[in-house]
Amino acid sequence: MSGTAVSRCGSAVVCEVEEFRRKDAAEGLKIAQVLQGFVNRKVVKQTVMTVVYGVTRYGGRLQMEKRLKEIEEFPEEYLWEASRYLVKQVFSGIKEMFSATRDIQNWLTESAKLIAQSGQTVEWVTPLGLPIVQPYYRCKPTVLNCSMQNLTVKSFNSNQKPDTVKQKNAFPPNFIHSLDSTHMMLTALHCLRQGLTFVSVHDCYWTHACTVDVMNQICRQQFVALHSEKILQDLSDFMLEKYCRYS
């Protein structure tokens, strides 16, 4: 998710959460009244941004508790209750506003769970043809001696069973990261073709000041081109072929 998209999404969710808070405050809910003036994009942004990466309500509560703690004026005795209330409202707001996104995330998670339960790891291929394998197995480290400096972890082998929890929780964020990396590579390749200097760190792109406008155009064109492809259909076809051919 780009910085602009996060900003717009976060702002929309803030409006939704504030509407929930106002209604609850009018009905006499104490914590909603305490939160008056404290519901803003900074408080909810991190949770909104990481929901698609599989953040839980527990994790989201901790994130917003940390943000509220940074506000000197917010009463410390209400931190836990306020963050608990906010995470509930944020998840409700996202569910109402982005139901299709949640449906996709649930589909990815459920697919990964079924794949792992069948004894296989989750695999897919990016739009550029790069094969991805999630190497999450149920294994324990073997301690060779009492020294903490000498720990040996068993090597993965075909007899190891996939870790179902890690496989299903990691699939949505890993799949999105693989699309982000595809977009980055497409942007880099097209910048190269036009003679631009291009550097990136994760989703932060850099070029010389005189070619920023050209890079911005390429970045957006490649994003639209990538997500105009039938990405989910291709993923579904791949998984049906790989995991359901013998069923």
Side-chain angles (χ1 to χ4, degrees), residues 46-55 90-91 94 102 105:
Q46 184 181 13
T47 303
V48 172
M49 185 173 66
T50 54
V51 161
V52 73
Y53 294 124
V55 72
V90 166
F91 271 70
I94 290 174
R102 295 294 293 182
Q105 184 177 1

PDB file of all heavy atoms in Angstrom, residues 46-55 90-91 94 102 105:
ATOM      1  N   GLN A  46      -1.083   3.262  11.976  1.00  0.00           N
ATOM      2  CA  GLN A  46      -0.270   2.046  11.987  1.00  0.00           C
ATOM      3  C   GLN A  46      -1.146   0.796  11.952  1.00  0.00           C
ATOM      4  O   GLN A  46      -0.853  -0.163  11.227  1.00  0.00           O
ATOM      5  CB  GLN A  46       0.637   2.014  13.216  1.00  0.00           C
ATOM      6  CG  GLN A  46       1.576   0.808  13.243  1.00  0.00           C
ATOM      7  CD  GLN A  46       2.449   0.775  14.488  1.00  0.00           C
ATOM      8  OE1 GLN A  46       2.210   1.504  15.449  1.00  0.00           O
ATOM      9  NE2 GLN A  46       3.453  -0.062  14.484  1.00  0.00           N
ATOM     10  N   THR A  47      -2.219   0.822  12.713  1.00  0.00           N
ATOM     11  CA  THR A  47      -3.106  -0.339  12.746  1.00  0.00           C
ATOM     12  C   THR A  47      -3.812  -0.528  11.413  1.00  0.00           C
ATOM     13  O   THR A  47      -3.910  -1.653  10.906  1.00  0.00           O
ATOM     14  CB  THR A  47      -4.144  -0.181  13.876  1.00  0.00           C
ATOM     15  OG1 THR A  47      -3.456   0.007  15.105  1.00  0.00           O
ATOM     16  CG2 THR A  47      -5.010  -1.422  13.986  1.00  0.00           C
ATOM     17  N   VAL A  48      -4.291   0.558  10.821  1.00  0.00           N
ATOM     18  CA  VAL A  48      -4.937   0.480   9.510  1.00  0.00           C
ATOM     19  C   VAL A  48      -3.969  -0.082   8.475  1.00  0.00           C
ATOM     20  O   VAL A  48      -4.322  -0.944   7.664  1.00  0.00           O
ATOM     21  CB  VAL A  48      -5.439   1.867   9.065  1.00  0.00           C
ATOM     22  CG1 VAL A  48      -5.926   1.826   7.619  1.00  0.00           C
ATOM     23  CG2 VAL A  48      -6.558   2.341   9.979  1.00  0.00           C
ATOM     24  N   MET A  49      -2.731   0.384   8.516  1.00  0.00           N
ATOM     25  CA  MET A  49      -1.722  -0.027   7.538  1.00  0.00           C
ATOM     26  C   MET A  49      -1.342  -1.488   7.690  1.00  0.00           C
ATOM     27  O   MET A  49      -1.025  -2.172   6.714  1.00  0.00           O
ATOM     28  CB  MET A  49      -0.479   0.856   7.689  1.00  0.00           C
ATOM     29  CG  MET A  49       0.601   0.596   6.646  1.00  0.00           C
ATOM     30  SD  MET A  49       1.938   1.810   6.758  1.00  0.00           S
ATOM     31  CE  MET A  49       2.618   1.415   8.361  1.00  0.00           C
ATOM     32  N   THR A  50      -1.380  -2.015   8.920  1.00  0.00           N
ATOM     33  CA  THR A  50      -0.911  -3.377   9.152  1.00  0.00           C
ATOM     34  C   THR A  50      -2.024  -4.414   9.219  1.00  0.00           C
ATOM     35  O   THR A  50      -1.731  -5.609   9.315  1.00  0.00           O
ATOM     36  CB  THR A  50      -0.085  -3.444  10.457  1.00  0.00           C
ATOM     37  OG1 THR A  50      -0.854  -2.893  11.545  1.00  0.00           O
ATOM     38  CG2 THR A  50       1.218  -2.677  10.322  1.00  0.00           C
ATOM     39  N   VAL A  51      -3.278  -3.990   9.139  1.00  0.00           N
ATOM     40  CA  VAL A  51      -4.379  -4.953   9.119  1.00  0.00           C
ATOM     41  C   VAL A  51      -4.229  -5.915   7.948  1.00  0.00           C
ATOM     42  O   VAL A  51      -4.396  -7.131   8.083  1.00  0.00           O
ATOM     43  CB  VAL A  51      -5.742  -4.231   9.043  1.00  0.00           C
ATOM     44  CG1 VAL A  51      -6.842  -5.174   8.556  1.00  0.00           C
ATOM     45  CG2 VAL A  51      -6.127  -3.705  10.418  1.00  0.00           C
ATOM     46  N   VAL A  52      -3.891  -5.368   6.776  1.00  0.00           N
ATOM     47  CA  VAL A  52      -3.748  -6.205   5.592  1.00  0.00           C
ATOM     48  C   VAL A  52      -2.554  -7.156   5.716  1.00  0.00           C
ATOM     49  O   VAL A  52      -2.466  -8.153   5.011  1.00  0.00           O
ATOM     50  CB  VAL A  52      -3.614  -5.334   4.322  1.00  0.00           C
ATOM     51  CG1 VAL A  52      -2.253  -4.681   4.255  1.00  0.00           C
ATOM     52  CG2 VAL A  52      -3.884  -6.138   3.058  1.00  0.00           C
ATOM     53  N   TYR A  53      -1.621  -6.853   6.619  1.00  0.00           N
ATOM     54  CA  TYR A  53      -0.483  -7.728   6.853  1.00  0.00           C
ATOM     55  C   TYR A  53      -0.748  -8.731   7.970  1.00  0.00           C
ATOM     56  O   TYR A  53       0.158  -9.402   8.441  1.00  0.00           O
ATOM     57  CB  TYR A  53       0.763  -6.902   7.195  1.00  0.00           C
ATOM     58  CG  TYR A  53       1.242  -6.052   6.039  1.00  0.00           C
ATOM     59  CD1 TYR A  53       1.390  -4.678   6.183  1.00  0.00           C
ATOM     60  CD2 TYR A  53       1.546  -6.629   4.816  1.00  0.00           C
ATOM     61  CE1 TYR A  53       1.824  -3.902   5.117  1.00  0.00           C
ATOM     62  CE2 TYR A  53       1.972  -5.852   3.751  1.00  0.00           C
ATOM     63  CZ  TYR A  53       2.116  -4.498   3.913  1.00  0.00           C
ATOM     64  OH  TYR A  53       2.546  -3.735   2.858  1.00  0.00           O
ATOM     65  N   GLY A  54      -2.010  -8.786   8.425  1.00  0.00           N
ATOM     66  CA  GLY A  54      -2.383  -9.810   9.383  1.00  0.00           C
ATOM     67  C   GLY A  54      -2.309  -9.409  10.845  1.00  0.00           C
ATOM     68  O   GLY A  54      -2.321 -10.286  11.717  1.00  0.00           O
ATOM     69  N   VAL A  55      -2.229  -8.114  11.146  1.00  0.00           N
ATOM     70  CA  VAL A  55      -2.173  -7.711  12.547  1.00  0.00           C
ATOM     71  C   VAL A  55      -3.457  -8.141  13.246  1.00  0.00           C
ATOM     72  O   VAL A  55      -4.543  -8.083  12.678  1.00  0.00           O
ATOM     73  CB  VAL A  55      -1.966  -6.180  12.699  1.00  0.00           C
ATOM     74  CG1 VAL A  55      -3.222  -5.410  12.326  1.00  0.00           C
ATOM     75  CG2 VAL A  55      -1.554  -5.832  14.115  1.00  0.00           C
ATOM     76  N   VAL A  90     -11.885   0.427  15.032  1.00  0.00           N
ATOM     77  CA  VAL A  90     -11.081   0.435  13.806  1.00  0.00           C
ATOM     78  C   VAL A  90     -11.367  -0.807  12.969  1.00  0.00           C
ATOM     79  O   VAL A  90     -11.583  -0.730  11.759  1.00  0.00           O
ATOM     80  CB  VAL A  90      -9.569   0.533  14.126  1.00  0.00           C
ATOM     81  CG1 VAL A  90      -8.736   0.207  12.898  1.00  0.00           C
ATOM     82  CG2 VAL A  90      -9.233   1.933  14.620  1.00  0.00           C
ATOM     83  N   PHE A  91     -11.388  -1.970  13.606  1.00  0.00           N
ATOM     84  CA  PHE A  91     -11.661  -3.208  12.873  1.00  0.00           C
ATOM     85  C   PHE A  91     -13.082  -3.199  12.307  1.00  0.00           C
ATOM     86  O   PHE A  91     -13.309  -3.687  11.193  1.00  0.00           O
ATOM     87  CB  PHE A  91     -11.441  -4.424  13.773  1.00  0.00           C
ATOM     88  CG  PHE A  91     -10.037  -4.937  13.754  1.00  0.00           C
ATOM     89  CD1 PHE A  91      -9.008  -4.210  14.335  1.00  0.00           C
ATOM     90  CD2 PHE A  91      -9.723  -6.144  13.158  1.00  0.00           C
ATOM     91  CE1 PHE A  91      -7.701  -4.675  14.319  1.00  0.00           C
ATOM     92  CE2 PHE A  91      -8.425  -6.622  13.130  1.00  0.00           C
ATOM     93  CZ  PHE A  91      -7.398  -5.885  13.712  1.00  0.00           C
ATOM     94  N   ILE A  94     -13.041  -0.799   9.263  1.00  0.00           N
ATOM     95  CA  ILE A  94     -12.376  -1.414   8.111  1.00  0.00           C
ATOM     96  C   ILE A  94     -13.266  -2.489   7.496  1.00  0.00           C
ATOM     97  O   ILE A  94     -13.354  -2.617   6.277  1.00  0.00           O
ATOM     98  CB  ILE A  94     -11.017  -1.999   8.529  1.00  0.00           C
ATOM     99  CG1 ILE A  94     -10.036  -0.863   8.859  1.00  0.00           C
ATOM    100  CG2 ILE A  94     -10.437  -2.891   7.434  1.00  0.00           C
ATOM    101  CD1 ILE A  94      -8.714  -1.328   9.418  1.00  0.00           C
ATOM    102  N   ARG A 102     -11.007  -7.577   2.963  1.00  0.00           N
ATOM    103  CA  ARG A 102     -11.029  -8.576   4.026  1.00  0.00           C
ATOM    104  C   ARG A 102     -11.370  -9.950   3.472  1.00  0.00           C
ATOM    105  O   ARG A 102     -10.830 -10.969   3.925  1.00  0.00           O
ATOM    106  CB  ARG A 102     -12.042  -8.174   5.104  1.00  0.00           C
ATOM    107  CG  ARG A 102     -11.693  -6.916   5.856  1.00  0.00           C
ATOM    108  CD  ARG A 102     -10.442  -7.073   6.697  1.00  0.00           C
ATOM    109  NE  ARG A 102     -10.620  -7.988   7.793  1.00  0.00           N
ATOM    110  CZ  ARG A 102      -9.687  -8.267   8.700  1.00  0.00           C
ATOM    111  NH1 ARG A 102      -8.497  -7.682   8.619  1.00  0.00           N
ATOM    112  NH2 ARG A 102      -9.906  -9.113   9.671  1.00  0.00           N
ATOM    113  N   GLN A 105      -8.221 -11.337   2.003  1.00  0.00           N
ATOM    114  CA  GLN A 105      -7.310 -11.750   3.071  1.00  0.00           C
ATOM    115  C   GLN A 105      -7.768 -13.064   3.704  1.00  0.00           C
ATOM    116  O   GLN A 105      -6.952 -13.960   3.959  1.00  0.00           O
ATOM    117  CB  GLN A 105      -7.210 -10.658   4.134  1.00  0.00           C
ATOM    118  CG  GLN A 105      -6.206 -10.981   5.244  1.00  0.00           C
ATOM    119  CD  GLN A 105      -6.072  -9.847   6.239  1.00  0.00           C
ATOM    120  OE1 GLN A 105      -6.742  -8.825   6.123  1.00  0.00           O
ATOM    121  NE2 GLN A 105      -5.219 -10.017   7.223  1.00  0.00           N
TER     122      GLN A 105
END
